[in-house]
Amino acid sequence: MKACVLAWLCAALSASSPIVHASAKEVQHPLVQQASPASQPARKLQGRFLHITDLHPDPFYKIHSSTDEYSACHRNSGPAGTYGAETSDCDSPFSLLNATFEWIEANLKDSIDFVIWTGDSARHDNDEDLPRTAEQVFDLNEKMVAKFVEVFGADNDTDAVNDMLIPIIPTFGNNDILPHNILSGGPNRYTRKFSSIWHRFIPEEQRHGFEHGGWFYVEVIPQRLAVFSLNTLYFFDSNVAVDGCAEESEPGHQQMEWLRIQLQFMRERGMKAILSGHVPPARTDKKMSWDETCWQRYTLWLDRYRDVVVGSIYGHMNIDHFMLQDFHEVDISALEGMHSDERAPQGYARTYLEDEFTIQSASEYLADLRDDWSKIPTPPSDDAFDCEDGESSDSANTIAKKKKSKKGKKKKGKQSKKERFLKKIGGPWGERFAVSLVGPSIVPNYFPSLRVVEYNTTDMEKPLPPTISAGPTPLDKQKPTLPLPPSKSSPPGPAYSPQPLSWTGYTQYYANLTHINNDFPPIDATKWHEGKHSGKRPHDKHPQTPLQPRPFTYQVEYATHDRGDEFGLRDLTVRSWLTLAGKIGTSKGECAAGNVDIDGSGSEEEEEEDGEGEAEAEKKKKKKKKKKKNKKKKHRGRNGGAAARRAWHVFLRRAFVGAVEEEEGL
């Protein structure tokens, strides 16, 4: 009886929902740079793309219902607002999603080149009285596809081929399957169904491969730039249906091999790639989200294809932050099948991150990141991050020439502090590290948020050199092997040196639901978070007149390229993120405030001689002991003071989209 009532209720809500299904259309085509027929002129590149994640539509959401764990904004009286219950664990009402897509259509539609949509487009299974079904998960994803088509679908009256104005690149979220987190190797019910749901977005020639494992890529700028949609559920340690990336029979291993092969073809074709997925490769000294064998392989791929990968974008965690992948932590034994607990030192093991974050657990995770960043090699001076091999305006070709001219010239004698520092971070471009960005969510666990990333379009209008490619080789004909790194004579990639397709900055938008819902005056952990309005009732000064929310809008929270922005990012290259991470790391405390020696080679204040004897070095150490202590104090004062603390607090505030007060656990 209960199942019948539920089926009837789902059907009724679907029928009455303001989200309407779009008519079926053919697969999208990437942006076209060459001349198009007069009937449909080519779109000019804008140098911007949208990242949107974790929509979590909930057809059972009720305005002014309770936000407690039992009610989940589905029943009883409480503070759930018209556009969502900010800072609670409730999901998104359709009103929020409709208003979000209307805002995108009015403000972003004509100024972006593609959309990266990183999953979780169904509600959580958070109500025992309303359990999810696979049909409901599919239906909610279809509704979200319909919203994208509604905004970005092309008018096919004159051109029946290009049915989408711009490419949309979706990916699996851990709540887009049932039960959540659990996805076995394909082909399976979910890969087949989503191949149909996303048929407008997945290139036709890749649909068969998608059904095999749920991964694909789209050339968003033909022969220039591809966006990869990774199925991170096969890397996710919470997915007990699979077992990492070591064994060739595992879908995680097969996906990594597919990624390696495709990145190699990108390199051979002179193309660049953006990697996207749902669950990010979060990993600190204490916790991690991916199976270690998958993290190791992925990080090695980032290192070896650093000339190809522009950047990486993820969702899932709902908090706005970034993470570093340190290539020095790659352990080849992980690729050979040795389990992570066999490689770990005795008595040491990372635990896995919680599937769903609370404010407290998120704060602890961010503090772990800060602890890790306190170990980043410290620059010898405030301007040490200025590139030695050229200013940011240098082109990749100019840099390559400079590198060539220095080849064979070996420096003798003293090695400066700056040279030692640059060696520790992988050279002047920081090529020891990669960066992954994690975007905050639409679902209002904090405030709804979305991001527009800007990238360099210089020379994109120039004709492409001829390329010859035999096309992707089937996985079963490829012998697993480790990829080769870039040639030593090749310039740094777009993630490291400003050049065409490099990310230059981003603008973070948010909707202040406290103001928009207009239910409460401004106000100043458990597994379930009821939100800042828990226990309150909506005010209504005039009972005869229904309360009216204010006009819905997204506003700028911050923009990294704005002069005076608190992050101080010159651009989004790795060196810029290293500067910020190092600054945040120095706020940990005096022990981490600017004099970290991560390789045990001695203080940043010491001078070293090539071939210097041990006795002489020891004598030199003792002689400079007092001087070194005084300099340490000065160093802490410069790097570990107010600026570092401010960077940490800005990082925390932005992580929670400005919706959480510091006294709430920060």
Side-chain angles (χ1 to χ4, degrees):
M1 179 67 181
K2 190 175 184 180
C4 293
V5 172
L6 178 59
W8 174 84
L9 183 58
C10 289
L13 284 164
S14 298
S16 60
S17 167
I19 300 181
V20 182
H21 288 274
S23 59
K25 295 183 179 181
E26 294 304 315
V27 66
Q28 69 174 346
H29 289 257
L31 291 169
V32 178
Q33 294 303 292
Q34 59 268 27
S36 291
S39 60
Q40 188 172 332
R43 282 173 63 102
K44 182 180 178 182
L45 283 176
Q46 303 294 316
R48 304 164 85 221
F49 67 86
L50 171 65
H51 177 215
I52 188 169
T53 191
D54 293 81
L55 282 69
H56 288 293
D58 185 354
F60 304 108
Y61 184 97
K62 289 184 179 178
I63 298 172
H64 296 165
S65 61
S66 174
T67 59
D68 66 39
E69 185 172 5
Y70 167 72
S71 302
C73 292
H74 294 160
R75 62 185 69 84
N76 299 325
S77 297
T82 301
Y83 291 104
E86 73 275 25
T87 72
S88 79
D89 282 343
C90 293
D91 284 328
S92 303
F94 283 172
S95 55
L96 170 61
L97 299 171
N98 284 329
T100 294
F101 279 93
E102 287 170 8
W103 186 88
I104 291 172
E105 182 169 23
N107 296 276
L108 300 179
K109 176 180 178 179
D110 297 324
S111 61
I112 57 176
D113 299 326
F114 53 92
V115 178
I116 296 178
W117 168 24
T118 50
D120 266 9
S121 301
R123 72 180 183 96
H124 289 93
D125 203 0
N126 56 14
D127 190 338
E128 291 182 0
D129 290 344
L130 294 170
R132 299 195 314 165
T133 65
E135 289 69 25
Q136 184 188 96
V137 169
F138 296 148
D139 181 64
L140 290 173
N141 270 275
E142 287 171 344
K143 283 179 165 57
M144 294 303 95
V145 166
K147 295 306 294 182
F148 280 104
V149 173
E150 181 182 315
V151 174
F152 296 108
D155 181 359
N156 284 341
D157 290 344
T158 56
D159 187 345
V161 177
N162 293 324
D163 69 311
M164 300 296 291
L165 293 173
I166 61 174
I168 314 293
I169 302 91
T171 191
F172 275 111
N174 64 308
N175 286 287
D176 293 327
I177 53 178
L178 200 72
H180 80 293
N181 297 341
I182 311 302
L183 183 68
S184 59
N188 57 48
R189 178 184 186 184
Y190 290 92
T191 58
R192 290 190 184 99
K193 182 63 177 180
F194 277 90
S195 177
S196 173
I197 293 174
W198 293 339
H199 73 274
R200 303 169 181 85
F201 310 142
I202 302 170
E204 187 172 4
E205 65 275 13
Q206 293 189 61
R207 288 184 196 168
H208 177 75
F210 179 86
E211 289 188 11
H212 176 79
W215 53 75
F216 69 101
Y217 72 87
V218 174
E219 290 192 26
V220 293
I221 306 178
Q223 302 181 63
R224 302 277 195 175
L225 177 65
V227 175
F228 283 75
S229 173
L230 302 178
N231 184 356
T232 56
L233 300 186
Y234 290 146
F235 311 148
F236 194 23
D237 189 72
S238 295
N239 183 5
V240 297
V242 296
D243 188 21
C245 297
E247 300 295 330
E248 292 184 26
S249 59
E250 288 295 327
H253 178 95
Q254 294 164 12
Q255 181 173 192
M256 284 296 182
E257 281 302 292
W258 170 83
L259 179 61
R260 176 185 65 81
I261 293 166
Q262 301 309 322
L263 290 177
Q264 181 62 35
F265 278 117
M266 295 291 150
R267 174 184 282 167
E268 292 170 4
R269 295 173 60 195
M271 290 185 63
K272 307 303 178 186
I274 295 172
L275 306 183
S276 69
H278 183 64
V279 181
R283 185 178 184 268
T284 70
D285 279 348
K286 298 177 182 178
K287 295 189 176 182
M288 61 196 304
S289 59
W290 285 14
D291 181 274
E292 178 72 0
T293 60
C294 299
W295 187 92
Q296 290 283 340
R297 196 170 292 265
Y298 175 80
T299 304
L300 179 62
W301 277 206
L302 289 178
D303 178 22
R304 298 296 172 89
Y305 291 107
R306 62 186 183 271
D307 57 327
V308 175
V309 177
V310 179
S312 305
I313 288 185
Y314 296 91
H316 177 65
M317 300 178 80
N318 298 339
I319 52 175
D320 180 355
H321 68 294
F322 66 98
M323 56 190 66
L324 301 175
Q325 284 80 46
D326 185 350
F327 303 152
H328 282 192
E329 294 187 16
V330 171
D331 180 0
I332 298 300
S333 65
L335 308 179
E336 297 169 353
M338 189 184 297
H339 200 271
S340 57
D341 56 11
E342 296 176 49
R343 295 189 308 276
Q346 190 171 5
Y348 172 82
R350 287 185 177 89
T351 57
Y352 289 96
L353 287 166
E354 295 86 345
D355 180 27
E356 303 293 341
F357 267 5
T358 63
I359 292 174
Q360 185 61 38
S361 62
S363 301
E364 291 170 357
Y365 160 73
L366 294 173
D368 288 346
L369 283 180
R370 178 179 62 166
D371 291 348
D372 287 357
W373 295 342
S374 71
K375 302 167 190 173
I376 292 174
T378 309
S381 64
D382 289 339
D383 63 352
F385 276 101
D386 291 336
C387 294
E388 185 180 61
D389 282 340
E391 298 302 322
S392 61
S393 59
D394 274 354
S395 70
N397 289 333
T398 303
I399 295 159
K401 287 176 184 175
K402 289 182 178 181
K403 287 174 81 173
K404 243 182 181 180
S405 68
K406 291 186 177 184
K407 195 175 180 183
K409 293 182 181 179
K410 186 177 180 182
K411 292 187 178 181
K412 296 180 180 179
K414 291 183 178 179
Q415 195 178 38
S416 71
K417 293 177 287 183
K418 186 170 183 178
E419 287 171 326
R420 295 200 311 275
F421 163 70
L422 293 175
K423 184 178 180 181
K424 288 179 181 180
I425 66 168
W429 309 103
E431 291 179 284
R432 166 182 163 179
F433 298 92
V435 177
S436 297
L437 304 186
V438 182
S441 58
I442 293 294
V443 67
N445 291 156
Y446 307 109
F447 284 138
S449 190
L450 46 82
R451 175 175 296 174
V452 174
V453 180
E454 299 181 8
Y455 66 97
N456 187 334
T457 59
T458 304
D459 296 335
M460 288 296 104
E461 72 283 354
K462 288 185 178 179
L464 290 162
T467 57
I468 300 173
S469 174
T473 303
L475 283 176
D476 57 3
K477 294 184 181 179
Q478 284 281 328
K479 184 178 179 180
T481 183
L482 298 183
L484 295 174
S487 165
K488 288 185 178 180
S489 63
S490 65
Y496 298 91
S497 166
Q499 59 191 267
L501 299 175
S502 292
W503 294 350
T504 58
Y506 65 80
T507 301
Q508 197 66 44
Y509 295 92
Y510 79 109
N512 187 334
L513 293 191
T514 303
H515 174 78
I516 295 169
N517 283 332
N518 195 26
D519 286 332
F520 300 95
I523 64 170
D524 158 20
T526 58
K527 189 172 182 182
W528 177 273
H529 196 62
E530 297 183 25
K532 61 163 119 183
H533 304 306
S534 173
K536 302 187 180 205
R537 295 290 179 271
H539 67 65
D540 192 346
K541 296 180 181 178
H542 307 286
Q544 305 298 325
T545 307
L547 194 65
Q548 294 296 320
R550 295 186 176 98
F552 184 93
T553 188
Y554 281 87
Q555 61 194 79
V556 174
E557 181 193 3
Y558 67 96
T560 63
H561 46 70
D562 279 357
R563 204 170 216 183
D565 178 67
E566 293 172 295
F567 268 176
L569 294 169
R570 179 174 59 185
D571 50 33
L572 300 188
T573 57
V574 169
R575 284 294 294 272
S576 293
W577 289 112
L578 278 176
T579 302
L580 177 59
K583 190 185 295 184
I584 292 169
T586 61
S587 71
K588 179 187 173 187
E590 284 196 353
C591 63
N595 219 316
V596 180
D597 178 24
I598 65 167
D599 61 1
S601 62
S603 167
E604 300 281 2
E605 303 300 329
E606 297 180 46
E607 296 289 341
E608 294 179 340
E609 293 272 354
D610 287 347
E612 185 177 41
E614 289 183 15
E616 189 179 345
E618 184 63 27
K619 186 178 178 182
K620 195 174 181 182
K621 274 186 178 180
K622 289 178 180 178
K623 188 177 178 182
K624 293 189 175 183
K625 191 174 182 181
K626 289 183 181 179
K627 188 178 178 182
K628 185 171 73 173
K629 284 184 178 178
N630 291 334
K631 287 187 176 181
K632 277 186 181 181
K633 288 178 182 177
K634 273 188 175 181
H635 208 67
R636 289 191 192 105
R638 182 177 72 245
N639 289 340
R645 290 192 298 273
R646 186 166 58 252
W648 168 241
H649 287 291
V650 170
F651 178 66
L652 283 177
R653 185 181 73 242
R654 290 180 174 180
F656 298 105
V657 201
V660 178
E661 302 293 338
E662 289 195 25
E663 53 265 29
E664 291 187 61
L666 304 191

